[in-house]
Amino acid sequence: MITLKRTDSTNTHFISLVKELDLDLKIRDGEEHDFFAQYNKIDLIQHVVVAYFNDQPIGCGAIKHYAENIMEVKRMYVKESYRGKGGATRVLKELETWASELGYDKCILETGLKQPEAIALYEKSNYKKIRNYGQYEHVESSVCFEKHIV
């Protein structure tokens, strides 16, 4: 059974999962990894969700303030052996609920074209492709999404 825990970026399970995520992204992103990594620091993230299966951490995600009424989804990850079992969907939904509880009405995010599983998750979760924002504006390997959560 999958359970979820709201926490912050000091959570040791979150830190461990993000290290696994970064190893995966380093392979997928190749030469672009350092560019993306600079925008994925976790030390100031206050809103983290960790997913557990039988008390073992299997996935995570986070949200952080981006602009007025907008949260940015960050650090979404599920261990490969647990993918396709609904963990990522549950984490994402919990992040959206939390953002709404905090008074935000939209979530945005960036993912890479080399992450088809992530793109499928966001499309399945009713995120709509948008023009690349902020630091991703001219990055051809990025794809950005948004979802109104109210």
Side-chain angles (χ1 to χ4, degrees):
M1 178 168 139
I2 295 175
T3 58
L4 303 176
K5 177 181 179 179
R6 288 184 181 186
T7 185
D8 62 31
S9 63
T10 64
N11 179 284
T12 56
H13 294 143
F14 176 66
I15 293 168
S16 176
L17 288 162
V18 166
K19 286 179 182 176
E20 290 181 35
L21 167 62
D22 286 338
L23 288 173
D24 180 60
L25 291 176
K26 188 170 187 167
I27 295 166
R28 290 180 193 235
D29 293 337
E31 293 178 7
E32 293 182 307
H33 181 71
D34 290 340
F35 169 79
F36 291 113
Q38 69 180 318
Y39 300 113
N40 289 321
K41 307 291 185 221
I42 63 170
D43 54 335
L44 300 177
I45 295 178
Q46 299 174 8
H47 304 96
V48 169
V49 172
V50 177
Y52 295 87
F53 184 80
N54 292 337
D55 298 323
Q56 296 298 311
I58 63 159
C60 62
I63 48 174
K64 71 175 194 172
H65 174 84
Y66 182 79
E68 184 177 347
N69 300 318
I70 302 173
M71 277 285 197
E72 185 177 24
V73 176
K74 305 291 289 179
R75 312 315 336 220
M76 286 290 299
Y77 177 71
V78 172
K79 290 179 178 244
E80 190 170 354
S81 59
Y82 291 93
R83 292 180 188 162
K85 297 176 169 56
T89 301
R90 298 244 344 253
V91 168
L92 185 58
K93 185 65 180 161
E94 184 68 11
L95 291 170
E96 293 167 1
T97 298
W98 201 356
S100 180
E101 290 170 3
L102 293 168
Y104 292 83
D105 57 22
K106 185 189 327 184
C107 287
I108 62 171
L109 60 90
E110 178 275 341
T111 192
L113 292 174
K114 296 176 183 174
Q115 299 171 57
E117 309 93 335
I119 293 169
L121 167 69
Y122 301 131
E123 289 176 341
K124 178 181 84 171
S125 300
N126 297 315
Y127 279 74
K128 305 298 179 208
K129 285 185 184 177
I130 59 171
R131 178 183 217 157
N132 287 4
Y133 61 86
Q135 63 268 24
Y136 309 111
E137 187 175 354
H138 300 291
V139 180
E140 291 181 15
S141 62
S142 286
V143 60
C144 295
F145 291 89
E146 75 176 9
K147 181 178 181 180
H148 294 274
I149 56 174
V150 174

